[in-house]
Amino acid sequence: MADQAYPTLAQIDTLVQSGPFSDSWASLVNYRTPDWYRKLKFGIFIHWGVYSVPAFGNEWYPRNMYMQDSPEFRHHVATYGPHKAFGYKDFIPLFRAERFDPEAWATLFAQSGAKYVVPVAEHHDGFQMYRSAISHWNAFEMGPRRDVLGELSAACRSKGLVMGASSHRIEHWFFLGHGREFDSDIHEPLVRGDFYWPSMPEPKWHDIYGQPAPSREYMEDWLMRTCELIDRYHPSIIYFDWWIEHSAAKPWIRKLAAYYYNQAAARGEEVVINYKHDAFLFGAAVPDVERGQFNEIKPFIWQTDTSVARNSWGYTEGNDYKSAEELIWNLVDVVSKNGNFLLNIGPKADGTIPEEDARLLQEIGAWLDVNGEAIYGSRPWRMFGEGPTQLVEGQFSDDAAPNFTDRDFRFTMKGDALYVIAMKCSDRGEYCVRALGELDASRQANFHGIIRHVRLLGADAELPWTQDEAGLHLHCPARSATPLVFKITLE
């Protein structure tokens, strides 16, 4: 791709003023989530960057390595020496990505059953994984010397996958600030354009609105970087991490959203912004719940993002992986509640996807090959499910796998079919779906519909079933470590 200049602030203002969206909440709440996004359901998130070189702790290594009481600090000194002699910037030449094969990645993502891909374009560390006219600290000019986002976007789109991009740039404001607390390679003068700029003191975590707020100069840089991503790569989805909720960021995220939505409208496209907490006014973009879920159906489209590993979003040598069964549970539960599921992997510094990450994606893909019709393009039923297992609502609530039973079900709808998804296989081969019981004497049962056919996805024969006041009784001797899906055809 030929290089191009990033849009100036004046050019951004001109496009924002051209409509149809202006940079006001009153205008932005007229946004409507695209139907294509609702139908896709499952996407891949990718945390890959310079932090994959030390592969220690997690992707917050660049912050934690400068915190003098942290395991990362001690590991860094023991492994690489004093910070003044070997700082975070010195990992960049070691980040070579010599085995990065975007075609192989795209093939794996397609095999996983994912329909969209959201690579991290710039993480909190400030290293851009794409070609940029704003900063020289990017993967095209340093480290791999490749336009990682550009190459991966082309490969994924060739497989029919929708491409997005994730920006965590705003957190760079404070991310490396601890390096200024001792004799390290992070020192004054720090000027705009430096890799370590601005390395400000870290905010008080109990008050995200506390000082120091990101400056106007920094937010102008943030806006131009994000608009450059939009203009150069045309992502259909932009994901923002949490700190854009800072009060100082509000005018800038409104302007960015108007620019993005107006650019898409000019191209005849529909796009999505993912945000956390209340960074956007509700209705102006799509909310995301990090490592968690809701406990009921929502009347709006939402997303959860989680990772294949519990301990890290990026690759580490000691990742604590989840099972494919747990990840499929997560996918099913989220979809039953009108959500999308964005699952993260962390490639190694050489550009290979770890075997365990790949195996998990392949197992999810095998399940979706059989059961995908209950997921893609589906809508919630009038209730998301039933059963004794209660999940904890909210972010960071997926620390442990749930203990589902053969009485736990999730429901989705498509056309004239109701899909009943058994979260756990019954050892007896018997299932009772209480929500589908026939009318009792008081006519208070949930279900008044007429069942015509019942079958197990992946099998041709109809299943025997009976119905009484207790529920719909299904007999299915099939055994599986992952959820079974019963297709109920209704009159």
Side-chain angles (χ1 to χ4, degrees), residues 156-167:
C156 287
R157 284 172 173 146
S158 73
K159 302 289 185 185
L161 301 171
V162 173
M163 281 303 298
S166 172
S167 171

Side-chain angles (χ1 to χ4, degrees), residues 193-215:
D194 285 352
F195 185 43
Y196 289 156
W197 173 75
S199 296
M200 298 300 290
E202 191 165 298
K204 296 177 181 178
W205 292 111
H206 67 276
D207 179 12
I208 63 165
Y209 303 109
Q211 295 300 316
S215 66

Side-chain angles (χ1 to χ4, degrees), residues 436 450-455 462-467 472-475 488-489:
L436 298 180
I450 300 171
I451 296 173
R452 289 305 186 197
H453 307 286
V454 179
R455 71 177 182 87
E462 287 200 33
L463 291 176
W465 58 276
T466 59
Q467 192 180 24
L472 174 68
H473 302 273
L474 304 175
H475 176 73
I488 315 293
T489 303

Side-chain angles (χ1 to χ4, degrees), residues 38-39 86 165 268 304 311 370 381 434 446:
R38 179 190 65 78
K39 292 177 178 179
F86 192 104
T304 186
N311 60 299
V370 175
W381 193 41
R434 293 183 297 108
N446 279 324

Side-chain angles (χ1 to χ4, degrees), residues 181-246:
E181 297 170 1
F182 64 101
D183 191 21
S184 79
D185 65 326
I186 299 178
H187 52 75
E188 298 289 357
L190 294 174
V191 297
R192 183 168 178 166
D194 285 352
F195 185 43
Y196 289 156
W197 173 75
S199 296
M200 298 300 290
E202 191 165 298
K204 296 177 181 178
W205 292 111
H206 67 276
D207 179 12
I208 63 165
Y209 303 109
Q211 295 300 316
S215 66
R216 180 181 185 88
E217 181 185 31
Y218 189 75
M219 291 310 303
E220 287 177 347
D221 178 84
W222 174 88
L223 178 65
M224 288 188 290
R225 284 178 186 242
T226 313
C227 290
E228 182 187 37
L229 269 177
I230 293 168
D231 289 356
R232 189 186 291 275
Y233 299 101
H234 296 174
S236 298
I237 302 166
I238 293 182
Y239 170 108
F240 290 115
D241 210 351
W242 90 101
W243 215 54
I244 59 165
E245 67 181 330
H246 198 293

Side-chain angles (χ1 to χ4, degrees), residues 1-4 48 50 92 95-97 100 121 126-151 228 232-233:
M1 178 189 297
D3 201 6
Q4 60 192 59
W48 188 41
V50 178
I92 295 175
F95 180 45
R96 292 184 286 269
F100 170 52
F127 189 77
Q128 298 166 299
M129 296 294 290
Y130 59 96
R131 186 173 185 170
S132 174
I134 293 177
S135 170
H136 297 298
W137 298 89
N138 66 72
F140 185 75
E141 298 184 52
M142 297 181 177
R145 298 190 181 275
R146 295 174 66 174
D147 182 357
V148 171
L149 180 60
E151 291 185 40
E228 182 187 37
R232 189 186 291 275
Y233 299 101

Side-chain angles (χ1 to χ4, degrees), residues 74-395:
R74 294 188 291 271
H75 170 82
H76 190 85
V77 172
T79 309
Y80 305 103
H83 293 64
K84 183 155 189 165
F86 192 104
Y88 185 64
K89 69 180 184 308
D90 297 299
F91 285 116
I92 295 175
L94 305 178
F95 180 45
R96 292 184 286 269
E98 64 272 18
R99 299 177 65 189
F100 170 52
D101 183 346
E103 293 293 334
W105 284 27
T107 297
L108 175 63
F109 300 156
Q111 290 173 345
S112 77
K115 300 300 182 182
Y116 61 102
V117 179
V118 183
V120 172
E122 181 178 350
H123 202 249
H124 313 336
D125 64 349
F127 189 77
Q128 298 166 299
M129 296 294 290
Y130 59 96
R131 186 173 185 170
S132 174
I134 293 177
S135 170
H136 297 298
W137 298 89
N138 66 72
F140 185 75
E141 298 184 52
M142 297 181 177
R145 298 190 181 275
R146 295 174 66 174
D147 182 357
V148 171
L149 180 60
E151 291 185 40
L152 185 59
S153 294
C156 287
R157 284 172 173 146
S158 73
K159 302 289 185 185
L161 301 171
V162 173
M163 281 303 298
S166 172
S167 171
H168 306 236
R169 170 67 187 179
I170 193 170
E171 287 85 0
H172 186 66
W173 169 260
F174 61 82
F175 204 61
L176 301 173
H178 291 289
R180 300 173 70 173
E181 297 170 1
F182 64 101
D183 191 21
S184 79
D185 65 326
I186 299 178
H187 52 75
E188 298 289 357
L190 294 174
V191 297
R192 183 168 178 166
D194 285 352
F195 185 43
Y196 289 156
W197 173 75
S199 296
M200 298 300 290
E202 191 165 298
K204 296 177 181 178
W205 292 111
H206 67 276
D207 179 12
I208 63 165
Y209 303 109
Q211 295 300 316
S215 66
R216 180 181 185 88
E217 181 185 31
Y218 189 75
M219 291 310 303
E220 287 177 347
D221 178 84
W222 174 88
L223 178 65
M224 288 188 290
R225 284 178 186 242
T226 313
C227 290
E228 182 187 37
L229 269 177
I230 293 168
D231 289 356
R232 189 186 291 275
Y233 299 101
H234 296 174
S236 298
I237 302 166
I238 293 182
Y239 170 108
F240 290 115
D241 210 351
W242 90 101
W243 215 54
I244 59 165
E245 67 181 330
H246 198 293
S247 56
K250 295 296 184 181
W252 305 96
I253 64 174
R254 290 197 299 267
K255 186 167 290 190
L256 181 281
Y259 184 86
Y260 186 38
Y261 294 161
N262 288 346
Q263 279 281 51
R267 297 195 301 268
E269 300 174 358
E270 296 176 301
V271 294
V272 171
I273 293 175
N274 297 140
Y275 71 94
K276 298 177 183 177
H277 309 297
D278 291 298
F280 277 70
L281 198 66
F282 181 76
V286 176
D288 178 277
V289 181
E290 181 175 353
R291 288 189 180 271
Q293 65 277 310
F294 292 116
N295 265 351
E296 57 186 13
I297 295 173
K298 295 299 180 183
F300 52 86
I301 305 301
W302 59 282
Q303 178 180 266
T304 186
D305 63 302
T306 193
S307 184
V308 294
R310 300 185 195 283
N311 60 299
S312 179
W313 295 84
Y315 169 74
T316 76
E317 294 177 356
N319 269 357
D320 177 14
Y321 285 100
K322 300 173 183 177
S323 67
E325 180 182 34
E326 180 181 353
L327 295 172
I328 294 170
W329 283 341
N330 203 175
L331 166 66
V332 168
D333 179 72
V334 166
V335 169
S336 74
K337 298 169 181 173
N338 209 22
N340 279 18
F341 184 60
L342 184 63
L343 179 63
N344 177 77
I345 62 164
K348 295 182 179 181
D350 67 0
T352 58
I353 294 176
E355 290 182 5
E356 186 67 7
D357 296 55
R359 183 187 65 80
L360 290 169
L361 294 187
Q362 289 164 347
E363 290 189 25
I364 295 169
W367 187 85
L368 284 167
D369 281 344
V370 175
N371 301 293
E373 70 172 85
I375 301 297
Y376 307 123
S378 67
R379 294 182 180 271
W381 193 41
R382 61 190 184 200
M383 56 193 295
F384 72 86
E386 66 179 42
T389 304
Q390 299 296 310
L391 301 181
V392 178
E393 181 167 295
Q395 64 175 355

Side-chain angles (χ1 to χ4, degrees), residues 424-470:
K424 195 76 173 178
C425 186
S426 168
D427 293 334
R428 307 177 310 281
E430 302 290 341
Y431 301 87
C432 178
V433 186
R434 293 183 297 108
L436 298 180
E438 64 184 7
L439 293 177
D440 60 19
S442 63
R443 302 183 64 81
Q444 296 302 308
N446 279 324
F447 188 65
H448 295 241
I450 300 171
I451 296 173
R452 289 305 186 197
H453 307 286
V454 179
R455 71 177 182 87
L456 175 70
L457 291 189
D460 294 329
E462 287 200 33
L463 291 176
W465 58 276
T466 59
Q467 192 180 24
D468 58 25
E469 294 178 7

